[in-house]
Amino acid sequence: MTGSVRTFGLPAVLAVTVGLLAGWRPVLLGVLGLAALLLWGLGTPSRLNHALFAVLLLVPVTADPGYPTKPVWVVLLAATAIALFGRLQRFHPDVPLASVGMAAFALPAAGLLAALAHWRGPKDLVFALAPFVCYAVIAWHVVEEARQDPPALRRLARAFAWAGVPVALLAIHQRVTGTWLVLDDLATSNAFTSSAGEGRSVGTVGHPIVYGTWCMMSMCVAIALRGRLWQVPFAAGAVGLLLSGSRSAWFGIAGAVVVWYLAQERKVTRRGVAVLAVGALVGAGLLVVRPAPVRNALDMVDSRLSNMTGSSSATARYTRFDAAWSGLRESYDTVLFGLGPEAHVRFFQEVGIGDHLAQTFDNSYLTLWYDFGLLTLLPFLAILVALLVRSRSTAARMLVVGIAVQISFFDFYLWPCAVAVLILAAGLAVGEDPGAAGTAGREPPAPAEALLAGAR
């Protein structure tokens, strides 16, 4: 009897507790879950990576449950602390500290040099460069872990692709109900609520564009790294990508699919043709039957695709490009060094563009150029090109191309989830073992257990 209580009593208590917290305090449940994940991750560096990416990919920066500062800084600093702890776990005085993972520090270093040409005091410099420093620390850690244990990072990537399955179910719920559970109540502004989402889903990240990045990652990892039942996370990612309504992510996944297709030795296979045929039949059936959820989703997609070049979003980007280029071409000095840290923030605060849309340039390359000049933009482009050209990992190349395309349509520097996808690509790029590439898809543990069990 005692054994039965020990065997079934604790799980029952945990189940009841989780149920009560989910219905009463879902935010508290999430906090407790992340805390448990962090404690679990302290065991090994490989486990710690699961906790790191859980913070980056799952914690929304559009919601504030009562943080002492802005959510994005909480997420960034927490992830940076985890990465630094991971480096301490691996530290050995006989091992050289300098490594290829430190290449990411080229961005904040170049930004610092560019900022000296337009010095406005330390405050703007700190706020402008702090995200780059945080991402550099995280990238350094992830790249070095990937070099230490390449299979572990591939298992992590597949695990988070599988995590997209329940997130896709949440996205469907958001689309059916028209609300963003929890996120609506804790949104930092009206711009991050379902009322501003135009019927689009956001998963757990709080913004449809960034959720599109997550789904793009899930699809790329699923089809490139495979694993057991890889079709499930791939389909979940496709559903989430559709419901996000993120045109930038749609363009990104199109580029990634081209990369995947070119990497295949056999361009046309019987199985591939069969899958396409089944997909076409299912799609045609849904178009004919058109149940309410499908009809609503199709209406949203139609609204996102109609008049793309003449829509308010498109014309806003033309106006923003003209405004940015007007500032950059003031002199050779501004082209090379930019207009200074946080220059785009000052522009939209002091001048702005009166179209009532997001007051950003909506182009990561243009924003980086505007603030820090070609001196910083060129190293960033060099990193992207190096990851694409030197990588032996199809998954990494797909993610790099997808992200490189998508960030042409939004500023991703303060969206940790989006940057985490690029950092994951860097880890896969340096950690891929070409000798094991052909069997990588058959090595993982059961996918549902991967996120919990982690690496060895």
Side-chain angles (χ1 to χ4, degrees):
M1 182 68 178
T2 303
S4 299
V5 172
R6 289 178 179 175
T7 304
F8 301 106
L10 182 58
V13 171
L14 288 175
V16 172
T17 303
V18 168
L20 289 174
L21 287 174
W24 177 55
R25 290 288 187 269
V27 175
L28 179 59
L29 176 62
V31 171
L32 291 176
L34 281 173
L37 188 61
L38 283 172
L39 290 175
W40 169 82
L42 295 179
T44 67
S46 297
R47 284 184 177 183
L48 196 67
N49 282 340
H50 285 73
L52 172 64
F53 277 94
V55 171
L56 291 170
L57 295 172
L58 294 174
V59 180
V61 296
T62 60
D64 186 357
Y67 295 129
T69 186
K70 291 184 178 180
V72 64
W73 293 112
V74 174
V75 172
L76 272 180
L77 294 176
T80 304
I82 294 172
L84 286 173
F85 183 79
R87 289 296 84 218
L88 286 175
Q89 283 184 311
R90 293 285 196 187
F91 177 75
H92 193 282
D94 296 333
V95 178
L97 188 62
S99 64
V100 66
M102 288 187 169
F105 287 98
L107 285 183
L112 178 61
L113 291 176
L116 296 178
H118 298 282
W119 180 254
R120 289 178 172 269
K123 182 179 178 181
D124 284 351
L125 182 64
V126 169
F127 277 98
L129 290 183
F132 293 98
V133 174
C134 291
Y135 293 135
V137 171
I138 296 167
W140 171 39
H141 168 72
V142 171
V143 166
E144 292 309 306
E145 285 301 304
R147 296 177 69 201
Q148 291 270 349
D149 191 354
L153 192 69
R154 292 196 292 272
R155 288 195 296 269
L156 179 147
R158 282 189 288 260
F160 278 98
W162 270 91
V165 176
V167 175
L169 295 176
L170 175 61
I172 294 172
H173 175 270
Q174 292 168 340
R175 186 67 189 91
V176 171
T177 62
T179 62
W180 297 349
L181 183 67
V182 178
L183 296 176
D184 274 342
D185 297 331
L186 300 178
T188 56
S189 77
N190 289 330
F192 301 133
T193 61
S194 55
S195 60
E198 300 176 348
R200 299 158 67 186
S201 296
V202 297
T204 61
V205 298
H207 197 286
I209 293 178
V210 187
Y211 178 50
T213 308
W214 166 291
C215 296
M216 182 175 65
M217 179 273 294
S218 297
M219 295 177 69
C220 291
V221 167
I223 197 170
L225 297 184
R226 301 301 174 97
R228 298 170 187 166
L229 300 176
W230 63 270
Q231 298 88 344
V232 176
F234 182 86
V239 170
L241 191 66
L242 176 71
L243 296 181
S244 73
S246 174
R247 292 172 296 194
S248 61
W250 296 346
F251 294 145
I253 195 63
V257 168
V258 170
V259 172
W260 174 83
Y261 180 75
L262 294 176
Q264 305 307 301
E265 293 183 3
R266 298 174 61 190
K267 306 302 182 186
V268 179
T269 63
R270 184 179 302 174
R271 183 178 181 182
V273 171
V275 170
L276 285 176
V278 170
L281 288 174
V282 172
L286 290 175
L287 287 175
V288 172
V289 178
R290 290 177 70 89
V294 174
R295 184 168 58 251
N296 293 339
L298 291 175
D299 290 342
M300 183 270 293
V301 172
D302 180 66
S303 68
R304 298 295 293 165
L305 292 178
S306 61
N307 194 26
M308 287 182 59
T309 58
S311 65
S312 59
S313 177
T315 55
R317 284 179 168 83
Y318 306 149
T319 304
R320 281 154 173 72
F321 179 86
D322 290 340
W325 183 237
S326 177
L328 281 170
R329 66 184 180 185
E330 290 180 0
S331 66
Y332 292 110
D333 177 72
T334 53
V335 171
L336 184 59
F337 300 106
L339 279 76
E342 299 284 271
H344 77 285
V345 176
R346 290 192 298 273
F347 171 79
F348 285 107
Q349 287 178 342
E350 298 169 4
V351 181
I353 296 176
D355 54 15
H356 307 293
L357 297 177
Q359 295 294 290
T360 66
F361 288 132
D362 273 337
N363 184 311
S364 297
Y365 307 107
L366 193 58
T367 299
L368 187 61
W369 191 0
Y370 192 86
D371 285 3
F372 294 109
L374 286 176
L375 187 64
T376 308
L377 176 61
L378 291 179
F380 178 60
L381 294 175
I383 290 174
L384 292 180
V385 171
L387 289 175
L388 180 63
V389 173
R390 299 300 297 272
S391 172
R392 296 189 179 99
S393 166
T394 300
R397 293 196 298 270
M398 291 176 69
L399 291 176
V400 170
V401 169
I403 283 289
V405 171
Q406 193 187 13
I407 63 176
S408 300
F409 301 95
F410 80 107
D411 290 350
F412 82 134
Y413 304 112
L414 291 179
W415 293 101
C417 177
V419 182
V421 173
L422 183 57
I423 293 174
L424 177 63
L428 292 172
V430 303
E432 182 76 8
D433 179 6
T439 59
R442 297 192 292 272
E443 69 181 13
E449 300 170 4
L451 188 61
L452 297 176
R456 52 184 176 272

